[in-house]
Amino acid sequence: MPYHEFECSKCIPERKKHAVVKGPGEDLTHALPLGYLNTIPGSISERGCAYCGAKHVIGTPMKDVIHLSHGPTGCTYDTWQTKRYISDNDNFQLKYTFASDVKEKHIVFGAEKVLKQNIIEAFKAFPDIKRMTIYQTCATALIGDDVDAIADEVMEEMPEVDIFVCNSPGFAGPSQSGGHHKINIAWIKKKVGTVEPKITSDYVINYVGEYNIQGDQEVMLDYFKRMGVQVLSTFTGNGSYDELKGMHRAHLNVLECARSAEYICNELKVKYGIPRLDIEGFGFEPLSSSLRKIGLFFGIEERAQAIIDEETARWKPELDWYKERLKGKKVCLWPGGSKLWHWAHVIHEEMGVEVVSVYTKFGHQGDMEKGIARCEEGALAVDDPNELEGLEAMMTLKPDVIFTGKRPGEVAKKIRVPYLNAHAYHNGPYKGYEGWVRFARDIYNAIYSPIHQLAHLDISKDEIPTGAGFQTAKMLSDVNLSEEVVSSSILRQYTGKYDSVSDLRQKTYPEFKQ
Amino acid sequence: MSCEIKQKERVGTINPIFTCQPAGAQYVSIGVKDCIGIVHGGQGCVMFVRLLISQHLKESFEIASSSLHEDGAVFGALNRVEEAVDVLLMRYPHVKIIPIITTCSTEVIGDDVDGVVIKLNEGLLQEKYAGREVHLIPIHTPSFVGSMVSGYDVAVRDFIRYFAKKDKTSEKINLITGWVNPGDVTALKHLLSEMQIEANVLFEIESFDSPLMPDGNSVSYGNTTIDDLTQTGNALGTIALNRYEGGKAAAFLEKEFDIPAIIGPTPIGIRNTDTFLQNLTRMTGKPIPESLVRERGIAIDALTDLTHLFFADKKVAIYGNPDLVIGLAEFCLDLEMKPVLLLLGDDNLAYPNDPRIQALKEKVDYEMEIITNADFWELENRIKNEGLELDLILGHSKGRFIAIDNNIPMVRVGFPTYDRAGLYRHPVVGYAGAIWLAEEIANTLFTDMEHKHNKEWILNVW
Amino acid sequence: MEDLKERIALLEDYIMKKCLWQFHSRAWDRKTQNDNILMKATQLLCDEPVGLETPLDRCYWADALSLTEGFQSRFEWLAALSKEEIKELMEGLKERIDFVTITGSLNAELTDPRY
């Protein structure tokens, strides 16, 4: 597995060990990109900071909490309304964000007093919310404010409130991953075990590393409820603060995004003996196998099987419609962390696309191990990519579509590569059986967009087809398909609704005897 | 019955209207050609600002970070600035200008950015990059001072202070636009062209609305050049349209090079555009041509269709960048509407003395509040808990849920406007901007009337 | 022997592409995971009793059973192997998985004493 040297990064030789090509017959012991190392200054990396890793990625999806950042307003503003983690309480956590608004005088004289005033003001403004998380930022970490002491003081004075303090300033680590780690460890140390939850089932799990992007968590919760499994807490998407304090009473930790949340699972295993089961909500086979494993663990595998059979029968013909049309399309799978391994193999197997490159903005070597293990030979794997490397890779690999973040997606657009949002999704959720079809549908719509085809034409030079007033995606995608596929009475396009989540909130579930 | 100006009483911020200073400096930096800024601080200070700008403009811009990590926070991180400059210069051969933009963290640890620039100028640039034109510009934008607005103001001044030279006389004027959209620049350039005035437009950001070309160009950037910045020192005069976004630079040029400065008004609405054109005439001696009389006529014609029938007495709340908010409020008054609440999202002590705010204070004949250091809770709390009734909200996308949840029609204006398509392409300044704003407001009100079945039939015979 | 190697490679590829349990974040966890899951998988393939006393056992077993089901549905030749052959195969597989994920792994974080 040779290291891959980008032309644009020859002058920064330390980058060489951050990219490899998966060679034929080679395995992970031949080469592995370096990971989670300090970023090279000035390289125009895509990484964020440890504050955002704690506050924006993991903290804020908790839905019934005042999220207060102790610092100037910028950190708060910048990490507000840039994600799609919804909740079933009217998106309180999306709509409201709080900053202690530290100003110059506070930097000089200390900001603890203003923090305390802030806490009281915030609770006063939202009298129904009794929980708060306070996030340290660079400025207040550097001036040495004792946030924990202030939180304790307030909790003493206001016994009805509970405050969690997360000390993860922006500089605390090479990337947002530093913040994932800090908030995981802080939560288990400070909050887990302080509430005794009500147990209503013989089968109790924590759903960990799931952020309810466009409703992912609610889709998965639907399956768990249909199995009669009690989800004690979700860490943290659509999750509730008090429920998360009772994590220690679960029988099983079911882990999705190991990158951001394996720490708490590992600690729960050590401290409370709760097993960690890594599962996947993406893709028919991985999801089915995950549900089955949970079923097996509790001895209710037949309940899992019923769901698997029903959902597969309902949605597989739709997935396969897209698979026929996506076969062989080249994909750059360039997400932040976990999706590089969640998706690398299953999009190949279930949608027929070829993953020509994976990258991770903030992943560790463990993520690369999983990602490289799961992609096919020849794929280019890059750790902490930067602007020029991304461009070079796209120019060389000529992908048909790229899965990445919003801003890098704009870069791809300009070199005429369609993009899908790997973090927030286009029209998600992407988890669950239906979600996986939605993902396939989005990929299909991106690749076969008639406008995308027009972007490649130069009206001053090229021969311009003038006979047609329009084209459809299907006209483009079905050109080379066999008659059998085109006129199949089994395969069909996606038939779900624009909003596939809200209805789940009204659903009732069978009662299982305890 | 009067207009009251006061600071928000709470100390904290619930839903901020502005981000912090470095963001403003970054927005300036992308307007300059062959320039990539380095933000000296944590990576989030860049990553999120790039995201924010790309949300607004649906384009990606290059801005670098010194990537402050734990060791740097403890021991100082100037070495990372040095490395960042080197890495950037090596990999981006076209780059000539590197502003080094500080943040709260690197200001708190006291990194001597000015010192490191001297060191780099004498060392690295001479040793490794001899013969290459490179300008390093320290820009101090600690996040705990001011806001993105003052960050913009500071950065414009610092760019101009760095480059401006007086070595000849020029008939050109400097036009400092303030924090605007590509569509505004197009509209302003159109007015200048009709007046046959040559102007150095700062910043030249029409190209932010960049095309998707068949050859696959990849990077969007502004087009203000080193020469443009240098020539600011030779100008006939400076007009800074926005007092708080470019006013500092105009004042600097006046003080340093005796270049007469006119600061304001933000040419939003007919009246302010008239004043702007008068100012241009005053500065250049060029008359206002018939073509603009006609354009103005088209605008007035369009507005007349709307004002007393639809706009009269509508209560409006406006938030965002101060010059924009004031300009919009003035325009609303001309349109017979009643701006009842203006929210300025930072604590600039100059606001109460702003002549435009003074004028509102003296002349408004109904209850109007102007809140400084405001956050969105100042608006939302009034609506939810204090009975404020509004017909319209004018402001940027971050306040969208107030409008959505309280069923108040809202016209997106300012920065950022990511929840509406293509707004950066439309002007709010000039006569064209007056038309666009008024018609956007009208159509938004119409849609709301239909959605709520609130006298929607009135439009049958309009 | 070549045959065995090839078969091990097929099973290894299956684990690498379909499973996550072998990639816990620390060497000691990977060791426990590999030991327990592959032991239980061997027992399942050989129709031997599998210990399910503790929750951890049940969790290993769930992964092991899912694995063996996958093996059996994909690799029909498994059915023809004797218990001894299966044990030899699984021992070889265990060696490979340990090597790829632990002893030969280039992941520098595996030995970090803290999570």
Side-chain angles (χ1 to χ4, degrees):
Chain A
M1 209 156 1
Y3 286 115
H4 174 81
E5 188 166 38
F6 285 97
E7 278 300 317
C8 63
S9 292
K10 281 201 161 134
C11 54
I12 35 176
E14 55 271 51
R15 279 296 302 160
K16 198 179 163 182
K17 291 201 162 175
H18 288 265
V20 303
V21 174
K22 184 171 179 173
E26 290 181 332
D27 64 44
L28 295 171
T29 63
H30 291 90
L32 185 70
L34 297 175
Y36 198 54
L37 296 178
N38 284 357
T39 318
I40 298 172
S43 61
I44 314 198
S45 150
E46 294 180 11
R47 285 170 158 182
C49 62
Y51 158 81
C52 88
K55 184 256 185 181
H56 192 40
V57 178
I58 298 190
T60 313
M62 278 193 213
K63 65 185 172 187
D64 47 8
V65 181
I66 288 170
H67 296 281
L68 171 63
S69 300
H70 185 33
T73 53
C75 314
T76 306
Y77 176 101
D78 290 350
T79 54
W80 178 41
Q81 291 189 17
T82 62
K83 278 205 171 243
R84 294 181 178 142
Y85 32 56
I86 55 174
S87 63
D88 56 13
N89 66 340
D90 200 26
N91 300 320
F92 177 79
Q93 78 292 349
L94 275 187
K95 290 180 184 174
Y96 298 101
T97 192
F98 301 73
S100 63
D101 195 12
V102 163
K103 300 198 192 270
E104 191 161 28
K105 61 184 176 194
H106 306 121
I107 296 292
V108 179
F109 299 111
E112 292 179 354
K113 198 171 145 234
V114 78
L115 173 62
K116 188 171 173 186
Q117 277 176 282
N118 256 278
I119 300 171
I120 293 163
E121 277 177 10
F123 280 125
K124 203 174 146 197
F126 293 89
D128 295 338
I129 307 276
K130 303 287 185 199
R131 302 290 176 257
M132 176 182 282
T133 299
I134 305 176
Y135 307 90
Q136 205 182 34
T137 63
C138 289
T140 52
L142 289 167
I143 61 173
D145 273 1
D146 189 345
V147 178
D148 287 281
I150 299 297
D152 288 343
E153 210 176 294
V154 174
M155 283 192 281
E156 195 131 305
E157 291 166 23
M158 301 171 69
E160 72 281 14
V161 306
D162 197 72
I163 302 173
F164 168 57
V165 175
C166 175
N167 291 317
S168 179
F171 55 75
S175 70
Q176 43 269 67
S177 183
H180 306 155
H181 178 248
K182 286 206 154 56
I183 195 168
N184 267 254
I185 299 299
W187 186 262
I188 183 158
K189 275 198 177 151
K190 295 177 181 174
K191 294 299 172 194
V192 174
T194 58
V195 152
E196 283 307 318
K198 194 174 167 223
I199 302 298
T200 58
S201 164
D202 293 327
Y203 320 115
V204 185
I205 66 169
N206 293 313
Y207 188 24
V208 184
E210 162 56 55
Y211 303 105
N212 203 30
I213 305 297
Q214 292 207 27
D216 274 354
Q217 184 255 12
E218 295 173 73
V219 168
M220 296 294 285
L221 225 59
D222 174 56
Y223 303 141
F224 298 145
K225 286 181 186 165
R226 281 153 74 181
M227 286 169 69
V229 170
Q230 180 187 0
V231 179
L232 202 54
S233 71
T234 304
F235 189 89
T236 56
N238 198 28
S240 151
Y241 187 101
D242 283 1
E243 285 173 10
L244 282 156
K245 288 167 79 176
M247 287 182 96
H248 58 297
R249 289 299 177 210
H251 305 143
L252 180 68
N253 283 319
V254 165
L255 174 62
E256 286 244 23
C257 176
R259 173 65 283 123
S260 61
E262 67 179 355
Y263 316 102
I264 198 163
C265 285
N266 293 342
E267 295 287 350
L268 284 163
K269 187 171 166 188
V270 172
K271 204 166 167 189
Y272 300 102
I274 308 172
R276 159 185 164 181
L277 182 70
D278 291 38
I279 69 147
E280 311 196 62
F282 296 114
F284 280 50
E285 194 196 319
L287 171 56
S288 298
S289 138
S290 298
L291 294 177
R292 178 157 161 75
K293 280 190 230 177
I294 296 167
L296 285 168
F297 179 86
F298 289 119
I300 48 170
E301 59 270 26
E302 74 292 344
R303 293 184 193 171
Q305 197 58 49
I307 296 170
I308 295 165
D309 294 343
E310 186 190 330
E311 295 285 331
T312 306
R314 168 70 182 85
W315 297 109
K316 188 76 173 17
E318 302 190 5
L319 179 66
D320 289 344
W321 190 93
Y322 293 101
K323 183 181 183 181
E324 290 293 345
R325 288 153 177 87
L326 294 175
K327 266 183 200 160
K329 291 294 173 191
K330 291 195 285 182
V331 172
C332 282
L333 173 49
W334 287 353
S338 66
K339 276 157 202 134
L340 96 97
W341 39 269
H342 273 315
W343 291 354
H345 177 62
V346 69
I347 54 175
H348 174 66
E349 187 142 299
E350 298 190 354
M351 299 180 191
V353 300
E354 301 297 328
V355 176
V356 293
S357 176
V358 291
Y359 83 34
T360 172
K361 292 206 282 188
F362 53 76
H364 296 223
Q365 285 187 297
D367 299 285
M368 272 300 185
E369 285 184 304
K370 295 183 215 178
I372 292 171
R374 286 180 161 200
C375 43
E376 304 301 309
E377 281 169 6
L380 168 66
V382 190
D383 166 69
D384 178 25
N386 56 58
E387 194 79 355
L388 289 177
E389 291 173 355
L391 275 169
E392 189 176 319
M394 281 191 281
M395 297 293 195
T396 333
L397 299 168
K398 302 196 184 339
D400 294 295
V401 67
I402 162 175
F403 307 155
T404 188
K406 193 258 173 309
R407 194 211 39 82
E410 298 293 343
V411 179
K413 174 179 83 181
K414 280 294 197 286
I415 55 173
R416 300 161 307 168
V417 178
Y419 115 96
L420 288 191
N421 194 321
H423 312 298
Y425 309 154
H426 268 42
N427 285 295
Y430 288 167
K431 279 186 184 169
Y433 297 89
E434 181 177 0
W436 199 240
V437 178
R438 292 170 77 92
F439 186 22
R441 182 265 325 259
D442 283 355
I443 301 173
Y444 171 84
N445 287 348
I447 291 177
Y448 292 109
S449 151
I451 292 296
H452 172 60
Q453 312 293 321
L454 293 176
H456 290 261
L457 289 176
D458 184 341
I459 50 167
S460 70
K461 286 191 215 129
D462 299 337
E463 198 173 316
I464 304 298
T466 52
F470 67 91
Q471 288 229 293
T472 66
K474 206 147 168 272
M475 286 161 70
L476 296 163
S477 68
D478 288 8
V479 162
N480 296 316
L481 288 183
S482 71
E483 182 53 31
E484 192 195 342
V485 171
V486 174
S487 57
S488 164
S489 58
I490 299 162
L491 305 181
R492 59 175 187 264
Q493 276 182 277
Y494 179 59
T495 55
K497 297 205 285 191
Y498 179 66
D499 175 1
S500 60
V501 174
S502 294
D503 288 348
L504 296 174
R505 294 178 187 164
Q506 319 305 329
K507 234 173 124 171
T508 49
Y509 293 90
E511 294 235 351
F512 292 97
K513 253 194 169 159
Q514 227 177 313
Chain B
M1 292 305 194
S2 65
C3 164
E4 199 185 350
I5 173 158
K6 57 189 175 194
Q7 272 229 4
K8 173 190 67 179
E9 283 169 15
R10 285 169 294 112
V11 294
T13 301
I14 303 175
N15 293 354
I17 292 173
F18 292 154
T19 185
C20 55
Q21 286 212 110
Q26 289 175 70
Y27 195 76
V28 173
S29 78
I30 60 171
V32 181
K33 195 162 184 283
D34 301 329
C35 168
I36 297 181
I38 293 171
V39 179
H40 186 31
Q43 291 165 158
C45 309
V46 175
M47 193 272 258
F48 282 104
V49 172
R50 293 181 78 198
L51 173 61
L52 180 70
I53 295 171
S54 86
Q55 276 189 281
H56 176 72
L57 289 160
K58 312 293 185 230
E59 304 283 351
S60 173
F61 293 87
E62 289 164 334
I63 309 168
S65 172
S66 67
S67 295
L68 180 76
H69 299 318
E70 208 130 38
D71 48 348
V74 178
F75 302 112
L78 288 171
N79 60 324
R80 297 190 70 81
V81 175
E82 295 180 45
E83 196 180 343
V85 168
D86 190 24
V87 168
L88 204 58
L89 288 175
M90 281 194 288
R91 301 178 77 228
Y92 292 84
H94 72 282
V95 164
K96 297 192 181 82
I97 310 172
I98 304 179
I100 296 161
I101 298 163
T102 67
T103 60
C104 46
S105 56
T106 50
E107 289 285 345
V108 171
I109 62 180
D111 267 0
D112 179 10
V113 169
D114 302 79
V116 86
V117 164
I118 295 169
K119 184 181 170 197
L120 284 164
N121 281 333
E122 290 171 354
L124 182 78
L125 295 190
Q126 293 194 10
E127 289 152 19
K128 194 167 169 183
Y129 299 98
R132 178 164 166 184
E133 181 181 8
V134 178
H135 306 276
L136 307 176
I137 310 172
I139 298 180
H140 292 273
T141 44
S143 322
F144 44 77
V145 174
S147 69
M148 67 190 210
V149 175
S150 57
Y152 185 96
D153 203 25
V154 164
V156 175
R157 183 206 53 203
D158 289 358
F159 268 98
I160 286 178
R161 187 167 61 186
Y162 181 92
F163 285 106
K165 276 199 188 70
K166 194 173 187 103
D167 53 10
K168 58 181 179 200
T169 54
S170 162
E171 289 305 300
K172 269 192 175 183
I173 64 160
N174 298 320
L175 181 74
I176 304 177
T177 65
W179 192 319
V180 295
N181 276 317
D184 293 313
V185 175
T186 307
L188 291 167
K189 283 165 75 174
H190 165 72
L191 294 175
L192 291 164
S193 145
E194 292 299 311
M195 299 267 295
Q196 298 182 325
I197 292 172
E198 278 201 72
N200 196 346
V201 177
L202 302 166
F203 286 87
E204 185 52 273
I205 60 159
E206 264 186 299
S207 53
F208 280 5
D209 186 7
S210 69
L212 201 168
M213 294 297 281
D215 62 353
N217 68 332
S218 57
V219 182
S220 302
Y221 53 82
N223 263 323
T224 289
T225 62
I226 290 177
D227 189 51
D228 293 336
L229 291 163
T230 311
Q231 292 303 322
T232 55
N234 291 322
L236 184 69
T238 303
I239 296 182
L241 297 177
N242 286 353
R243 178 175 289 262
Y244 306 104
E245 297 155 7
K248 273 193 174 68
F252 165 80
L253 287 168
E254 185 164 55
K255 187 158 173 255
E256 192 72 18
F257 302 113
D258 286 328
I259 298 173
I262 297 175
I263 295 174
T266 311
I268 293 177
I270 304 293
R271 201 178 299 275
N272 282 327
T273 303
D274 292 351
T275 308
F276 170 54
L277 296 184
Q278 292 300 325
N279 287 340
L280 286 173
T281 298
R282 231 170 65 204
M283 192 169 274
T284 63
K286 299 265 175 78
I288 295 171
E290 181 59 30
S291 63
L292 289 181
V293 176
R294 191 180 153 74
E295 252 180 56
R296 183 176 183 274
I298 289 174
I300 299 235
D301 184 81
L303 303 187
T304 306
D305 293 338
L306 299 169
T307 52
H308 35 280
L309 176 54
F310 296 113
F311 290 163
D313 299 326
K314 296 282 187 230
K315 289 198 224 119
V316 191
I318 312 171
Y319 61 83
N321 291 26
D323 290 293
L324 176 75
V325 169
I326 296 167
L328 288 171
E330 292 174 329
F331 186 35
C332 282
L333 286 164
D334 268 347
L335 293 174
E336 302 179 37
M337 297 199 273
K338 286 187 170 153
V340 290
L341 181 64
L342 311 185
L343 301 171
L344 309 177
D346 62 18
D347 61 351
N348 193 330
L349 295 174
Y351 293 150
N353 301 321
D354 187 309
R356 297 168 295 178
I357 289 182
Q358 289 289 331
L360 291 171
K361 237 179 127 172
E362 283 162 26
K363 292 170 187 159
V364 165
D365 58 357
Y366 58 89
E367 276 189 41
M368 176 198 256
E369 287 182 292
I370 303 173
I371 315 291
T372 65
N373 201 31
D375 58 10
F376 279 114
W377 189 243
E378 289 295 311
L379 172 59
E380 189 168 348
N381 185 49
R382 278 175 174 76
I383 298 167
K384 279 197 174 140
N385 303 320
E386 295 176 357
L388 175 67
E389 285 180 11
L390 291 173
D391 301 298
L392 181 69
I393 295 174
L394 298 178
H396 59 71
S397 297
K398 291 271 183 182
R400 64 193 299 257
F401 282 111
I402 302 177
I404 296 168
D405 286 353
N406 296 289
N407 269 311
I408 299 167
M410 169 171 168
V411 169
R412 273 68 171 170
V413 55
F415 178 94
T417 55
Y418 47 78
D419 69 333
R420 284 295 179 274
L423 293 194
Y424 52 83
R425 194 167 292 123
H426 302 282
V428 298
V429 296
Y431 301 123
I435 296 176
W436 184 82
L437 270 173
E439 292 180 344
E440 188 79 357
I441 289 171
N443 288 333
T444 302
L445 293 175
F446 297 162
T447 308
D448 184 68
M449 285 156 66
E450 289 162 359
H451 179 68
K452 291 177 181 157
H453 294 283
N454 179 16
K455 295 186 69 170
E456 74 284 5
W457 37 259
I458 208 168
L459 291 162
N460 283 358
V461 294
W462 178 50
Chain C
M1 202 54 211
E2 271 315 296
D3 208 26
L4 180 66
K5 239 178 149 175
E6 270 170 36
R7 284 174 169 171
I8 290 173
L10 287 172
L11 301 187
E12 178 191 339
D13 186 58
Y14 180 90
I15 292 175
M16 286 294 152
K17 292 231 165 81
K18 308 267 183 195
C19 303
L20 292 170
W21 49 258
Q22 72 279 19
F23 284 128
H24 277 209
S25 55
R26 298 291 178 260
W28 61 88
D29 282 329
R30 289 188 178 187
K31 184 86 174 64
T32 320
Q33 290 284 100
N34 294 354
D35 286 354
N36 283 285
I37 291 166
L38 291 175
M39 176 188 74
K40 285 185 159 48
T42 310
Q43 290 165 340
L44 287 166
L45 289 172
C46 296
D47 287 324
E48 289 170 6
V50 180
L52 295 176
E53 286 75 25
T54 66
L56 285 169
D57 276 336
R58 286 195 73 85
C59 192
Y60 298 135
W61 167 74
D63 267 323
L65 185 59
S66 175
L67 179 69
T68 55
E69 285 172 351
F71 281 175
Q72 282 161 332
S73 70
R74 262 187 190 64
F75 310 116
E76 282 174 11
W77 44 262
L78 257 180
L81 299 188
S82 70
K83 280 190 184 183
E84 283 65 37
E85 284 170 317
I86 288 175
K87 284 194 172 157
E88 193 189 359
L89 176 74
M90 291 299 283
E91 247 168 60
L93 176 64
K94 168 83 169 42
E95 260 174 46
R96 270 299 294 170
I97 298 293
D98 278 349
F99 174 68
V100 174
T101 64
I102 307 169
T103 52
S105 170
L106 301 171
N107 182 345
E109 286 183 352
L110 285 187
T111 49
D112 188 331
R114 293 169 314 151
Y115 289 125

